[in-house]
Amino acid sequence: EIRAEFTDDRQLSNFAFMVGDQAGNIIGDFKNSDQGQLSDKQFSYSKTITIPSPLSVNNFCLHFSLTDAAGNTASKKVCLTVL
């Protein structure tokens, strides 16, 4: 399960989540992407992802992108290796 907490001093506007490679390209093995509108200063995200078997790559990244009400965007990625 993936869990993340995000905050803004004013208001969050929208978010996007996807599983991809380090450059942010979608990996076809994964069918996990999500996006939505926000209207609060805080956002809690929780999602269960399934790692497909067989997997065509052994490295993948979780990409988060949030935009606040002023139009400022912040992105974060966490990369994982499957052994």
Side-chain angles (χ1 to χ4, degrees):
E1 181 175 18
I2 298 165
R3 293 183 189 188
E5 297 282 331
F6 302 98
T7 59
D8 188 70
D9 61 344
R10 294 186 185 164
Q11 180 179 332
L12 294 166
S13 177
N14 59 58
F15 79 97
F17 166 79
M18 53 114 22
V19 179
D21 62 16
Q22 287 210 12
N25 301 308
I26 293 174
I27 297 173
D29 297 346
F30 290 92
K31 306 296 183 222
N32 298 290
S33 63
D34 207 0
Q35 60 184 0
Q37 300 294 319
L38 304 171
S39 61
D40 205 348
K41 292 181 180 182
Q42 190 171 14
F43 174 56
S44 297
Y45 184 81
S46 178
K47 184 175 184 101
T48 300
I49 65 166
T50 302
I51 299 174
S53 179
L55 185 61
S56 64
V57 296
N58 65 344
N59 295 307
F60 61 92
C61 299
L62 311 173
H63 294 268
F64 293 94
S65 179
L66 280 97
T67 304
D68 67 12
N72 302 310
T73 299
S75 299
K76 179 73 175 177
K77 69 180 173 186
V78 178
C79 296
L80 306 164
T81 300
V82 177
L83 302 175

